[in-house]
Amino acid sequence: MANGNSSSYTTGMEGTKRSEEICLKFPPNVISPGLAALLVQKDKHEKLMDYSGPRLHFQMVVIFVLTQIIHSLLKKLGFPLFISQLLAGILLSPMVFSDQHSLVNISEESVAVLGTVGAFGFVFFLFLSGVKMDLSLTLKSGKKAICIGLLTVVVPLVSCMTTIKLLHEEGNEFSNKSFFLAVTYSGTSFPVIHCLLSDLKILNSELGRLGLSAALIGDMLTLFLTVFSLWVKTGFEKGRKQSLIDFGLAMLFIVIVVFVLRPVMKWMVKRTPEDGQIKDICFYLVILAFMMSPRFTDLFRIYFLYGPFIFGLAVPDGPPLGSALVEKLDPVISGLFLPIFATTCGLRFDLSYFKNSNLFAYHQVLGAMVALIIKFGVSLLVPLLCKMPTRDSLALAFIMISKGIVEMGSYSIMNDNRVISEDIFAHMTIVIILVASIVPILVKRLYDPSRKYLCFQKRTIMNSRLNQELRLIVCVHVPGNVNSIINQLNASCPTRESSIALDVLHLIKLSGQATPLFITHDKQKKTLSSKSYSENVAVAFEQFERDNWGAVSVNVFTAVSPQNLMYEDICNLAMDRLTSFILLPFHRRWYIDGCIESEDQTVRTLNFDILEKAPCSVGILVEGRRHLKGSGIRDPLSSDNSSFYNIAVIFLGGQDDREALALAKRISQDKSVRLTVIHLKAANSLGIILTENDRMLDSAVLNDVKQSVCFTYIEEHVNDGPETSNFLQSIVEDYQLIIVGRRYKTEDRQTSGLQEWCEFQEIGIIGDLLSSADFIRNYSLLIVQQQQQRTV
């Protein structure tokens, strides 16, 4: 039989008293007997929603459905998902629905259960945020990032304290609480800024990297000041001796984490094979230690939210341990528990709190607004003094004042623990909603990283002289890309008169880390990093440089970034190095029998992004089919096949075909390379879509080929796509490399009927045809797109 137990208490808060009565039912009903059993039972007063299990499940469904409905309306305006989650909580709160009529039965008991689930997700989020952060980057941050990170916390803090002191003259209350609250108003949250930059897809842009570095510095300073303010508060309330005891216990906790737990986790990482996964037992031990950390922080007198975060900082970031924790836990935490927590924060909001607002609350809100404005001013002034463009400085200032789930969670927990009153919580909720709504929209308007790729200078191979150094970027995803790229570069036979400045960019997925990395490998020095990024790639291309000494200069870079933002690293490098051509590997590789060896759709998406945004010409290399391991079949791309390296250019017309021909002429200057230009002409002039200017330029470059004794020119008339396919099938076996133009969204008589069968739009109709299973392909294929001219 259920017994009712009620209790009432009165709490003092900023000169006001709040009396509450909570009724609890023992034992609580958790698992229902089932809907059918409830329908046939005699006691009709017992409902399905009286059981906490079904009620929790139903509440979660309603929360997610309502959140998605709201977000579908607001995302077109640029509002983040976090705002939709908060608004869903506000709409489901007793402020809108009374307890008796609420669709989700929002009672004190149900909020407690839902809040516990959400708080669990918030603590996990703080732990994972610590795992992703790399504190060593604070030592490598530039002077600009350090100044912004420090000043955007210290100056607003001093301004906030001064404002509150002038408004509020009760010294004891000021000393005990206001310093701690002023730190929360002035602080910087790295996880919030990281989420903002990720949502805006500017995480590894120049502004994004600066914002992350400044946020990391600011977050560490905020952490220290928050803990320090708690020691100060303890000193005023319980005496200096107790404050010193708390300080000693906190230092002991940090020593245990740094010198005991972190070495143990590093030992786990060392026992993991290279490129292997962490053992399950090690993974579960780390999770167990995390689950115990809130309890240990209570014993060591540390604010309980900081225990999981500090422990997360001690976890070695990146693979195998850090990446395993993030990859396995982040989808569940970010996709399930954290949205519930954000919604429960909205459930706590009530406009009636403003009616009972007192003078202390108004002073605190005014101090918070002063801190926000001063923080914006400092974030704007420092970049301007460093001669950063005004639009970029404004965007950075808005980034640095952004608010999100960390601030909302902190105020909610402080409200639950009676650290702040309900009216202060209501005011700060309004501030967070306004800032979190406005900042993403303004940053997106002010900063567009693709604007700098609008290059008005011609960066194409056609505009490079034959005796001029060719600046080239090659991208490497997997070790298999290295040999195929080096083979093609060797086939071009670079010379001192026609040299190549080669920049090799090894692209690595950012995993288990929050901050993207861009590493320049110095050939004279060993990298200071404990992680050996791209070591094998660097060794292979340095050997290629030695084999072609004087004709090739090689620089190796590593970009560790999110896969959907890797194009930023490539385009930025192309801009900085004045590159004329970017060479990308195709996303699919085949064995010689036509079976697919490997395929990566993220690489395909990246290729599309580069083709759209690159500030220079782009090529996609489709490798020749590789021999099967152990089959005894000789690799047809081996240099033993012929004393000559035969190259063909399939020419239909247009700027991409002209760029392909210019590249072919560039790499066929050596006597061991034979170039054949195959001009496919329409049997009649009907349906030709080339402009008069294109036809004139095509004639000029083809006349060059016809008059040269170094090249072979073949002209073939075809009526449609099938005739083109039949002709190409008859001649492709004679070549080791075929170069074609992409000719995106261009279809004429020579390709009519092939467009609908085109599987890979990024390599064009002819490229897709030559890479298809219909061709017995013992050749490599290079698809070329000339630099795209864009307008602002």
Side-chain angles (χ1 to χ4, degrees):
M1 182 175 177
N3 296 320
N5 183 18
S6 67
S7 63
S8 64
Y9 60 89
T10 303
T11 61
M13 179 56 56
E14 290 85 41
T16 65
K17 291 188 176 181
R18 180 167 58 192
S19 181
E20 296 183 5
E21 184 173 326
I22 299 176
C23 296
L24 303 175
K25 184 183 288 186
F26 294 103
N29 295 328
V30 179
I31 302 175
S32 72
L35 184 61
L38 290 173
L39 290 175
V40 300
Q41 69 179 1
K42 295 181 180 180
D43 185 7
K44 299 297 182 180
H45 296 290
E46 209 168 47
K47 300 178 181 179
L48 183 65
M49 289 297 111
D50 292 337
Y51 295 87
S52 58
R55 185 174 62 237
L56 175 63
H57 297 154
F58 181 66
Q59 287 172 347
M60 290 170 63
V61 171
V62 172
I63 285 171
F64 282 105
V65 170
L66 184 58
T67 298
Q68 292 305 316
I69 293 174
I70 296 173
H71 189 58
S72 64
L73 300 175
L74 296 182
K75 67 180 179 181
K76 296 179 181 179
L77 302 175
F79 289 91
L81 181 60
F82 167 67
I83 295 298
S84 301
Q85 294 163 353
L86 267 182
L87 293 178
I90 293 174
L91 291 177
L92 294 173
S93 68
M95 182 181 70
V96 179
F97 294 105
S98 65
D99 291 351
Q100 292 78 15
H101 301 94
S102 174
L103 296 175
V104 289
N105 193 20
I106 301 296
S107 62
E108 287 287 344
E109 184 182 354
S110 64
V111 169
V113 174
L114 197 62
T116 301
V117 174
F120 175 77
F122 184 60
V123 173
F124 248 114
F125 171 75
L126 294 176
F127 167 68
L128 292 178
S129 297
V131 172
K132 295 176 185 178
M133 292 171 67
D134 184 1
L135 288 183
S136 65
L137 296 178
T138 58
L139 304 175
K140 303 173 185 176
S141 300
K143 294 180 181 179
K144 189 192 299 183
I146 293 175
C147 289
I148 295 172
L150 295 178
L151 292 177
T152 51
V153 175
V154 174
V155 177
L157 175 61
V158 174
S159 303
C160 180
M161 292 285 292
T162 304
T163 302
I164 295 175
K165 180 64 176 176
L166 292 174
L167 295 173
H168 201 79
E169 296 180 356
E170 297 181 20
N172 185 45
E173 192 172 353
F174 166 79
S175 302
N176 286 351
K177 186 171 295 183
S178 295
F179 180 56
F180 171 74
L181 293 178
V183 173
T184 64
Y185 304 149
S186 310
T188 301
S189 174
F190 179 87
V192 169
I193 291 179
H194 178 268
C195 291
L196 171 66
L197 297 174
S198 297
D199 292 343
L200 294 177
K201 296 183 179 181
I202 57 173
L203 189 64
N204 58 344
S205 65
E206 185 178 354
L207 186 70
R209 292 177 188 274
L210 177 60
L212 276 183
S213 299
L216 184 60
I217 300 291
D219 201 338
M220 291 300 100
L221 180 59
T222 303
L223 174 63
F224 170 76
L225 290 174
T226 305
V227 176
F228 179 75
S229 66
L230 292 174
W231 293 332
V232 172
K233 182 174 179 291
T234 302
F236 278 104
E237 293 179 351
K238 299 181 181 179
R240 186 179 301 174
K241 182 179 179 181
Q242 185 61 48
S243 181
L244 291 175
I245 292 174
D246 288 355
F247 172 77
L249 289 173
M251 291 300 102
L252 179 60
F253 175 78
I254 293 174
V255 167
I256 292 173
V257 170
V258 174
F259 296 103
V260 178
L261 297 180
R262 183 171 173 83
V264 170
M265 289 185 284
K266 283 190 171 183
W267 175 79
M268 295 177 182
V269 170
K270 287 181 180 178
R271 289 181 60 87
T272 304
E274 189 174 355
D275 298 329
Q277 293 185 348
I278 196 79
K279 292 182 179 179
D280 288 343
I281 183 64
C282 298
F283 179 84
Y284 295 134
L285 285 174
V286 174
I287 296 298
L288 178 62
F290 153 71
M291 298 294 286
M292 296 170 62
S293 61
R295 177 58 180 165
F296 279 110
T297 53
D298 184 45
L299 294 174
F300 287 98
R301 311 286 177 84
I302 298 176
Y303 189 43
F304 79 99
L305 289 179
Y306 288 157
F309 180 69
I310 293 173
F311 179 66
L313 291 174
V315 176
D317 62 298
L321 182 56
S323 59
L325 289 168
V326 172
E327 289 173 1
K328 292 182 180 180
L329 299 177
D330 197 53
V332 178
I333 300 304
S334 299
L336 177 62
F337 291 106
L338 203 60
I340 293 175
F341 178 74
T343 303
T344 57
C345 291
L347 287 171
R348 293 174 170 88
F349 179 76
D350 196 330
L351 289 173
S352 64
Y353 295 157
F354 292 108
K355 297 178 182 178
N356 302 321
S357 189
N358 57 25
L359 192 62
F360 179 84
Y362 286 127
H363 291 167
Q364 289 295 320
V365 173
L366 186 58
M369 295 303 299
V370 169
L372 188 68
I373 294 170
I374 296 298
K375 191 182 186 75
F376 178 83
V378 173
S379 304
L380 176 63
L381 184 61
V382 175
L384 287 176
L385 292 176
C386 296
K387 299 181 179 179
M388 184 183 289
T390 304
R391 291 177 65 92
D392 292 3
S393 300
L394 281 169
L396 180 62
F398 282 114
I399 289 171
M400 295 306 296
I401 67 167
S402 59
K403 306 289 183 183
I405 187 66
V406 173
E407 289 82 7
M408 194 70 246
S410 299
Y411 292 128
S412 296
I413 292 172
M414 285 191 286
N415 180 48
D416 291 345
N417 293 330
R418 307 297 187 255
V419 177
I420 61 174
S421 59
E422 292 173 332
D423 49 349
I424 294 179
F425 170 74
H427 281 102
M428 296 313 300
T429 300
I430 294 295
V431 171
I432 290 172
I433 290 175
L434 290 176
V435 174
S437 301
I438 295 171
V439 165
I441 298 172
L442 293 178
V443 173
K444 195 170 184 178
R445 291 285 182 88
L446 290 167
Y447 184 71
D448 180 10
S450 63
R451 185 182 290 113
K452 61 186 173 185
Y453 306 145
L454 298 174
C455 185
F456 298 101
Q457 181 182 359
K458 289 279 189 179
R459 292 185 180 175
T460 66
I461 297 175
M462 281 192 68
N463 290 89
S464 301
R465 295 188 298 272
L466 287 177
N467 59 351
Q468 182 182 355
E469 182 181 60
L470 177 63
R471 294 186 173 273
L472 179 69
I473 291 178
V474 297
C475 299
V476 174
H477 296 280
V478 294
N481 299 145
V482 175
N483 288 336
S484 59
I485 291 173
I486 289 179
N487 287 341
Q488 298 305 327
L489 292 173
N490 271 324
S492 67
C493 302
T495 62
R496 292 177 184 270
E497 292 75 27
S498 182
S499 59
I500 296 176
L502 182 64
D503 294 322
V504 181
L505 183 57
H506 187 198
L507 298 163
I508 299 175
K509 176 187 174 183
L510 183 69
S511 180
Q513 296 171 269
T515 308
L517 301 175
F518 193 87
I519 303 168
T520 302
H521 296 273
D522 193 334
K523 288 176 281 189
Q524 305 300 325
K525 299 178 182 178
K526 291 186 177 179
T527 179
L528 297 176
S529 174
S530 59
K531 301 166 186 170
S532 56
Y533 291 107
S534 312
E535 184 178 346
N536 295 333
V537 174
V539 169
F541 279 97
E542 286 169 7
Q543 181 61 47
F544 171 68
E545 180 183 25
R546 286 190 292 269
D547 294 341
N548 297 273
W549 189 255
V552 176
S553 60
V554 174
N555 290 289
V556 181
F557 305 90
T558 298
V560 185
S561 59
Q563 290 180 317
N564 64 326
L565 299 178
M566 284 180 176
Y567 69 89
E568 283 273 359
D569 296 305
I570 301 171
C571 293
N572 285 334
L573 184 63
M575 291 291 293
D576 295 340
R577 306 288 292 181
L578 303 177
T579 302
S580 298
F581 193 74
I582 299 173
L583 183 61
L584 306 170
F586 193 53
H587 71 280
R588 180 182 287 183
R589 304 169 75 208
W590 292 268
Y591 287 120
I592 198 171
D593 64 347
C595 297
I596 296 174
E597 179 186 0
S598 62
E599 185 171 13
D600 191 339
Q601 288 299 321
T602 58
V603 174
R604 186 186 184 194
T605 303
L606 174 63
N607 290 347
F608 266 116
D609 290 336
I610 296 297
L611 289 167
E612 181 183 349
K613 297 180 172 67
C616 60
S617 296
V618 181
I620 297 179
L621 178 63
V622 183
E623 297 180 38
R625 292 176 183 168
R626 299 156 56 84
H627 65 280
L628 293 168
K629 295 179 181 179
S631 65
I633 301 175
R634 188 161 60 94
D635 189 347
L637 295 178
S638 171
S639 57
D640 300 335
N641 287 359
S642 173
S643 58
F644 292 101
Y645 189 79
N646 297 310
I647 300 176
V649 174
I650 311 300
F651 192 95
L652 282 76
Q655 63 175 14
D656 291 347
D657 282 4
R658 293 193 296 271
E659 186 75 359
L661 181 56
L663 176 62
K665 290 167 69 174
R666 173 100 191 191
I667 65 178
S668 62
Q669 295 183 73
D670 192 88
K671 293 181 180 179
S672 62
V673 179
R674 287 183 173 177
L675 172 62
T676 302
V677 179
I678 302 171
H679 185 196
L680 296 179
K681 297 185 69 175
N684 58 64
S685 59
L686 296 177
I688 295 179
I689 61 172
L690 292 176
T691 64
E692 184 64 31
N693 184 55
D694 273 330
R695 285 198 290 270
M696 290 175 60
L697 293 173
D698 290 346
S699 297
V701 296
L702 289 174
N703 285 336
D704 244 3
V705 174
K706 293 174 185 177
Q707 294 169 9
S708 174
V709 296
C710 302
F711 311 129
T712 302
Y713 176 80
I714 299 175
E715 188 173 294
E716 181 70 19
H717 293 267
V718 292
N719 288 303
D720 51 24
E723 281 193 21
T724 298
S725 176
N726 293 332
F727 171 73
L728 292 178
Q729 280 184 319
S730 67
I731 55 99
V732 291
E733 294 183 4
D734 299 331
Y735 305 99
Q736 283 82 48
L737 173 65
I738 298 178
I739 306 177
V740 301
R742 184 190 180 202
R743 308 179 82 244
Y744 183 53
K745 292 184 178 179
T746 302
E747 186 177 14
D748 40 32
R749 288 193 62 84
Q750 299 96 306
T751 58
S752 62
L754 298 177
Q755 174 67 46
E756 60 192 46
W757 302 101
C758 185
E759 181 181 3
F760 303 117
Q761 297 289 336
E762 67 271 28
I763 57 177
I765 298 175
I766 297 296
D768 182 80
L769 176 67
L770 292 172
S771 65
S772 65
D774 296 335
F775 284 69
I776 303 175
R777 189 166 55 80
N778 297 330
Y779 50 86
S780 291
L781 180 63
L782 180 59
I783 296 88
V784 176
Q785 173 184 279
Q786 193 178 68
Q787 176 191 10
Q788 302 294 296
Q789 297 301 314
R790 304 179 185 87
T791 57
V792 180

